């Protein structure tokens, strides 16, 4: 974007976080459906999950955990953007960074952002999963802050970072896969002449990138989801770690269960990227028009 330097870094981070939050308002139902499918120990489908939610919980249940989704964007996206911008500017002091350096910066930024965003992620997983449980087993968090305070009170502070390692691993995979596949898809579409620079190109590239990223990151994502939702029974957690989750999923549910929730995950990833980009561009343009 031309004139990007006229926007202070603090404003860039703020706009990035708000853009991610705005996009989440549109895709939150897909996040909920994906989480429900990943937590299901049996074979299920997107249609079955949606039908069950609408029948048993009502249409507004599709937005369960929205406050946690918004806090996750406020922490994860803002931190990731801040770290990426800082590292990219540092690496650019001696010229344009190579593709591998950009990928490394993206992975590092995603890793740090994921660590900061893990508490909101834990709350999100639990809040979106609550409706599938029996009434007696539900946690019934009122909102994300109630969830965070209760987790600290009932399970200890460090429970907020349960599943942090697979969450950080997922973020590194997502950032590396997104960066490589988005850049490549955009270049191929431009070279073939089917699309020109603009929102249609960004949308198509995002959807192709989303397909690659979804396939690459879902096994790590399902491990993260189940670890963050697990309960400790008689002092023993359900899973020992990410490898234990993946081993049990493959053993009891089959290899392809590692990609359970693929459709809603993919349907969320591409549009969320596009919507974030649209909001980012519009708010940046508005800032330049009104405050620069």
């Amino acid at each position: 974007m031309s004139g990007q330097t006229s926007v202070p870094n603090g404003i860039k981070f703020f706009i990035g976080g708000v853009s991610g939050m705005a996009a989440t308002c549109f895709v939150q139902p897909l996040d909920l459906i994906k989480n429900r499918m990943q937590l299901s120990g049996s074979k299920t489908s997107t249609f079955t999950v949606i039908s069950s939610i609408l029948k048993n919980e009502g249409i507004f249940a599709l937005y369960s955990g929205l406050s946690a989704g918004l806090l996750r964007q406020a922490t994860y996206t803002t931190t990731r953007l801040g770290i990426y911008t800082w590292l990219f500017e540092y690496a650019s002091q001696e010229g344009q960074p190579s593709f591998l350096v950009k990928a490394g910066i993206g992975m590092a930024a995603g890793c740090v952002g994921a660590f900061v965003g893990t508490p909101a992620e834990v709350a999100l997983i639990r809040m979106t999963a609550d409706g599938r449980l029996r009434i007696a087993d539900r946690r019934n968090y009122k909102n994300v802050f109630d969830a965070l305070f209760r987790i600290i009170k009932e399970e200890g502070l460090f429970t907020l970072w349960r599943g942090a390692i697979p969450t950080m691993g997922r973020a590194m995979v997502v950032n590396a896969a997104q960066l490589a596949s988005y850049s490549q898809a955009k270049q191929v579409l431009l070279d073939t002449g089917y699309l020109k620079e603009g929102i249609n190109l960004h949308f198509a590239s995002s959807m192709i990138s989303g397909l690659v990223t979804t396939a690459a990151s879902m096994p790590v994502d399902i491990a993260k989801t189940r670890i963050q939702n697990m309960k400790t029974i008689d002092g023993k957690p359900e899973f020992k770690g990410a490898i234990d989750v993946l081993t049990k999923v493959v053993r009891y549910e089959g290899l392809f269960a590692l990609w359970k929730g693929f459709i809603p995950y993919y349907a969320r990833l591409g549009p969320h990227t596009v919507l974030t980009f649209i909001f980012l561009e519009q708010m940046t343009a508005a800032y330049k028009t009104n405050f620069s």
Side-chain angles (χ1 to χ4, degrees):
M1 286 183 294
S2 59
Q4 192 170 13
T5 52
S6 64
V7 181
N9 280 335
I11 298 297
K12 286 184 200 172
F13 305 157
F14 173 76
I15 289 176
V18 173
S19 299
M21 293 169 74
T24 292
C25 291
F26 289 88
V27 302
Q28 176 67 18
L30 295 169
D31 229 1
L32 181 138
I33 294 164
K34 183 267 294 182
N35 290 340
R36 293 279 182 97
M37 292 181 71
Q38 289 185 333
L39 292 168
S40 171
S42 57
K43 189 175 182 179
T44 187
S45 68
T46 304
F47 179 76
T48 302
V49 171
I50 294 174
S51 299
S52 176
I53 292 171
L54 295 177
K55 179 181 178 181
N56 300 318
E57 302 169 59
I59 190 169
F60 292 111
L62 290 171
Y63 276 89
S64 296
L66 177 60
S67 61
L70 293 174
L71 182 62
R72 179 185 179 276
Q73 289 298 321
T75 52
Y76 168 67
T77 302
T78 305
T79 302
R80 180 178 67 161
L81 180 63
I83 296 294
Y84 183 84
T85 303
W86 173 61
L87 291 176
F88 187 82
E89 288 178 352
Y90 180 80
S92 301
Q93 290 178 354
E94 297 182 1
Q96 185 70 9
S98 67
F99 179 79
L100 287 178
V101 170
K102 290 178 184 176
I105 291 173
M107 291 174 71
C111 184
V112 176
F115 180 80
V116 175
T118 294
E121 184 93 29
V122 171
L124 174 64
I125 296 300
R126 293 185 174 195
M127 292 174 74
T128 55
D130 225 25
R132 62 183 286 274
L133 302 173
R134 295 179 303 173
I135 294 177
D137 295 330
R138 293 179 185 178
R139 294 180 170 103
N140 294 317
Y141 297 136
K142 296 174 184 176
N143 53 57
V144 65
F145 299 109
D146 179 51
L148 297 176
F149 288 133
R150 279 184 52 191
I151 289 171
I152 294 172
K153 182 180 178 181
E154 297 168 9
E155 303 171 62
L157 177 65
F158 293 112
T159 305
L160 292 177
W161 278 272
R162 177 178 288 169
I165 292 176
T167 301
M168 292 160 71
R170 172 192 171 277
M172 293 175 72
V173 171
V174 165
N175 277 273
Q178 274 185 332
L179 181 62
S181 57
Y182 182 85
S183 175
Q184 188 64 31
K186 186 177 178 181
Q187 190 60 50
V188 169
L189 291 171
L190 281 172
D191 289 345
T192 56
Y194 287 118
L195 293 172
K196 295 181 180 180
E197 186 66 41
I199 193 63
N200 289 335
L201 175 66
H202 302 149
F203 181 81
S205 301
S206 294
M207 296 307 287
I208 294 170
S209 171
L211 190 64
V212 175
T213 306
T214 299
S217 65
M218 278 211 76
V220 186
D221 191 70
I222 196 169
K224 171 198 74 67
T225 299
R226 295 205 179 185
I227 287 173
Q228 291 174 333
N229 188 62
M230 72 179 179
K231 292 185 176 181
T232 301
I233 303 170
D234 296 328
K236 297 182 69 175
E238 292 179 59
F239 305 106
K240 298 174 183 176
I243 300 300
D244 186 38
V245 174
L246 298 177
T247 302
K248 287 179 178 176
V249 168
V250 172
R251 182 185 301 165
Y252 299 116
E253 302 170 48
L255 178 63
F256 291 107
L258 294 176
W259 287 272
K260 189 179 287 183
F262 186 95
I263 292 175
Y265 187 107
Y266 171 57
R268 175 198 177 281
L269 199 61
H272 189 276
T273 302
V274 174
L275 287 167
T276 300
F277 176 81
I278 291 171
F279 288 126
L280 185 73
E281 292 285 4
Q282 293 302 312
M283 283 191 284
T284 301
Y287 177 86
K288 290 178 180 178
T289 300
N290 296 299
F291 299 103
S292 294

